Amino acid sequence: MFSKILAQPVHHIRFASSAKLNLFLEIKARRSDGFHELETVMSKFSLFDDMTFVPNDTGRITLSVDSPQPELARLVPSDESNLIVRSLQALLATVDQDSASRMGMTVSLLKRIPVQAGLGGASGNSAAALVAGNQLWGLGLSLPRLMEIGGGLGSDIPFFLGSGFCKCTGRGEQIENLNCAPRFNILVAKPKFGLSTPEIYSRCQVPEAPINSETLIHSLRTSRLAEFGKALFNRLEFFAGEMHDGIRRMRDEFARTNSLGHAMTGSGSCYFGLYRSYAVMMAAKKLLTNRMPEVAFFAGHTLGRPFNK
């Protein structure tokens, strides 16, 4: 699901905004606008940021950020550079200036999803802000219109407004809901280092013969778990491994476990493995924690439902 509504009184909305995983990511071409043409299959993952939105009539948007990890809270800006604030401002741009001057929002973010991790936490927060602002301000914008606004802010944002599993093309903003909802056991590893998305893409090269996601999608729809694990793929993983040997180490360590497949998500630095059962996943977590004590691990599962169901 995009995010489950924890409570929705008239005066505020609370969301649990999820992370995402790239189960497949291929670079198809370099675009004239500086981006890359992608084909990626993404799923939402059961790691959440908690968000609260309270409307007011001050005309101001304020954001406070907290986290169980103080260092994580320090990495997240609370000014207009944050996608939450920018998303709400984009909504206000759809109404006349006089109305916008009386529409404000107080937002509280409890951050759990790591940054510079390939988990899409900021994009999920942005999607939550678009939904919350649209509802609390009574704008009446359609889901396609919210996706259009989100796509102008960030490539992954429309995905978080769709269903749990999507195939995304273009620069990632064109989404196709795959209309399936399997629940896979996933173990995510977050090393201490982060990776810069622009730097990763500046290093990547378009393959002469790009592959497609047909095998992965077919195994996803037919619940062939072993085949699905073998089809996990991320073209950016090679280039990330060139930037930091920690990526190669995680790949080698996950190969020691009984995973059905493993890969990097997004442009890193998080790495994940797929497991046949919860027990096998937790055994892998114990092994990997002993071998890589400096790495944080998140044991969870994929989320298959649209946010509005």
Side-chain angles (χ1 to χ4, degrees), residues 111-232:
K111 193 72 179 168
R112 294 189 180 92
I113 301 173
V115 300
Q116 290 189 326
L119 295 175
S123 295
N125 293 167
S126 171
L130 291 173
V131 173
N134 188 44
Q135 292 183 10
L136 290 171
W137 286 331
L139 301 181
L141 300 176
S142 67
L143 183 59
R145 179 65 177 123
L146 292 180
M147 287 186 172
E148 180 184 3
I149 294 171
L153 294 167
S155 299
D156 287 344
I157 297 170
F159 160 75
F160 283 96
L161 293 165
S163 68
F165 287 82
C166 294
K167 176 183 176 181
C168 305
T169 53
R171 53 183 173 81
E173 86 287 4
Q174 300 172 18
I175 72 168
E176 173 190 347
N177 290 332
L178 296 179
N179 298 318
C180 55
R183 178 170 166 146
F184 295 142
N185 298 294
I186 301 285
L187 180 64
V188 174
K190 172 59 176 77
K192 288 188 175 181
F193 64 88
L195 294 175
S196 163
T197 296
E199 187 173 357
I200 291 288
Y201 276 99
S202 71
R203 288 170 173 256
C204 77
Q205 299 175 10
V206 179
E208 292 185 4
I211 64 174
N212 61 54
S213 59
E214 290 180 4
T215 298
L216 181 132
I217 292 175
H218 180 262
S219 61
L220 178 63
R221 285 175 166 160
T222 55
S223 300
R224 298 181 180 180
L225 192 58
E227 182 180 316
F228 178 78
K230 292 178 181 178
L232 296 173

Side-chain angles (χ1 to χ4, degrees), residues 53-285:
F53 298 84
V54 182
N56 59 59
D57 58 3
T58 67
R60 295 191 299 272
I61 298 169
T62 58
L63 170 64
S64 62
V65 182
D66 197 3
S67 175
Q69 307 170 56
E71 68 277 8
L72 178 55
R74 289 193 291 269
L75 291 172
V76 180
S78 58
D79 58 16
E80 293 186 358
S81 64
N82 190 294
L83 270 175
I84 296 169
V85 178
R86 291 170 57 199
S87 299
L88 293 171
Q89 290 174 335
L91 289 178
L92 291 179
T94 67
V95 302
D96 64 86
Q97 188 173 0
D98 183 60
S99 297
S101 68
R102 298 189 299 273
M103 298 163 69
M105 191 76 72
T106 301
V107 186
S108 301
L109 170 64
L110 181 62
K111 193 72 179 168
R112 294 189 180 92
I113 301 173
V115 300
Q116 290 189 326
L119 295 175
S123 295
N125 293 167
S126 171
L130 291 173
V131 173
N134 188 44
Q135 292 183 10
L136 290 171
W137 286 331
L139 301 181
L141 300 176
S142 67
L143 183 59
R145 179 65 177 123
L146 292 180
M147 287 186 172
E148 180 184 3
I149 294 171
L153 294 167
S155 299
D156 287 344
I157 297 170
F159 160 75
F160 283 96
L161 293 165
S163 68
F165 287 82
C166 294
K167 176 183 176 181
C168 305
T169 53
R171 53 183 173 81
E173 86 287 4
Q174 300 172 18
I175 72 168
E176 173 190 347
N177 290 332
L178 296 179
N179 298 318
C180 55
R183 178 170 166 146
F184 295 142
N185 298 294
I186 301 285
L187 180 64
V188 174
K190 172 59 176 77
K192 288 188 175 181
F193 64 88
L195 294 175
S196 163
T197 296
E199 187 173 357
I200 291 288
Y201 276 99
S202 71
R203 288 170 173 256
C204 77
Q205 299 175 10
V206 179
E208 292 185 4
I211 64 174
N212 61 54
S213 59
E214 290 180 4
T215 298
L216 181 132
I217 292 175
H218 180 262
S219 61
L220 178 63
R221 285 175 166 160
T222 55
S223 300
R224 298 181 180 180
L225 192 58
E227 182 180 316
F228 178 78
K230 292 178 181 178
L232 296 173
F233 174 79
N234 188 336
R235 180 67 67 182
L236 299 179
E237 186 177 320
F238 172 79
F239 305 103
E242 287 188 326
M243 280 181 60
H244 202 293
D245 60 8
I247 298 296
R248 294 194 294 268
R249 185 187 177 198
M250 287 190 292
R251 179 171 62 238
D252 292 343
E253 294 293 349
F254 268 87
R256 293 174 178 267
T257 70
N258 291 322
S259 75
L260 297 174
H262 47 87
M264 186 179 79
T265 179
S267 56
S269 60
C270 277
Y271 202 91
F272 69 94
L274 169 72
Y275 294 89
R276 188 173 297 278
S277 70
Y278 178 82
V280 174
M281 175 177 66
M282 296 309 291
K285 181 181 180 183

